[in-house]
Amino acid sequence: MAKKTNAVRILQQQKIPHTLLEYTYDIEDLTVYGIAKANNLIVDEIFKTLVLEGPAGITVAVIPGNQELHLKALAKCSRQKKVAMLPMKELLATVGYIRGGCSPIGMKKPFPVYLAEEALAHERIYINAGQRGLFIHIAPQDLLRVTKANAVAITA
């Protein structure tokens, strides 16, 4: 079984219902499409965690893996003039996770999290558990609660 990540520990401590799903992935193709196909999952139920920076600091967006982030919409929601993707080389040092293994739960610090409103149409969604090869299957309302996120329109 996969090791317990910070995200998994937090969910267990707070008694938030979730299940874990180990999945296979190709290091050369960490796209949601590749992961969904390799594991027989529905692509629009897999949400990716994006880390951005702006004048106010770090902002986290959780969006459907088959959609693009609308940067201006996120900037507006987060009350910033603009936001940009955090450089990949800064990801681990900033949030404590690596590309393809980034979870909105259990980052080094509590950063503001914005969940794409599309999540609310699903009973449960998949998010990364904090390491490649492990998903958390969770109700969007529980994800909002544990991350203190806002559900907003941030996809293009």
Side-chain angles (χ1 to χ4, degrees):
M1 182 62 190
K3 68 178 180 121
K4 277 192 184 177
T5 64
N6 286 342
V8 174
R9 279 192 282 281
I10 288 167
L11 291 174
Q12 289 174 341
Q13 286 167 356
Q14 295 187 22
K15 296 182 175 28
I16 293 176
H18 67 283
T19 55
L20 297 178
L21 173 70
E22 288 190 68
Y23 66 89
T24 58
Y25 65 92
D26 177 352
I27 194 69
E28 300 299 318
D29 182 13
L30 292 174
T31 66
V32 170
Y33 292 103
I35 291 169
K37 186 175 180 186
N39 296 277
N40 295 318
L41 297 173
I42 299 169
V43 73
D44 65 347
E45 291 180 359
I46 302 172
F47 280 61
K48 58 188 175 184
T49 302
L50 304 173
V51 181
L52 300 98
E53 59 183 347
I58 299 298
T59 302
V60 178
V62 182
I63 66 169
N66 60 351
Q67 295 192 29
E68 295 295 318
L69 177 64
H70 189 289
L71 292 171
K72 286 185 179 178
L74 180 63
K76 185 176 180 181
C77 290
S78 63
R79 294 182 175 88
Q80 299 187 73
K81 201 170 201 126
K82 66 178 186 171
V83 292
M85 292 297 295
L86 182 73
M88 201 66 59
K89 65 182 187 298
E90 296 177 27
L91 192 61
L92 181 60
T94 303
V95 299
Y97 293 126
I98 60 170
R99 178 178 175 263
C102 194
S103 179
I105 303 168
M107 292 186 170
K108 281 186 170 183
K109 294 182 194 170
F111 298 111
V113 177
Y114 296 88
L115 176 63
E117 63 187 5
E118 290 89 340
L120 302 179
H122 299 280
E123 193 173 312
R124 289 162 53 109
I125 60 172
Y126 292 99
I127 59 166
N128 199 283
Q131 69 181 45
R132 290 179 186 151
L134 188 63
F135 278 142
I136 292 170
H137 201 206
I138 189 171
Q141 295 298 340
D142 288 333
L143 180 59
L144 288 170
R145 190 164 38 103
V146 72
T147 60
K148 297 179 175 46
N150 293 305
V152 292
I154 53 173
T155 54

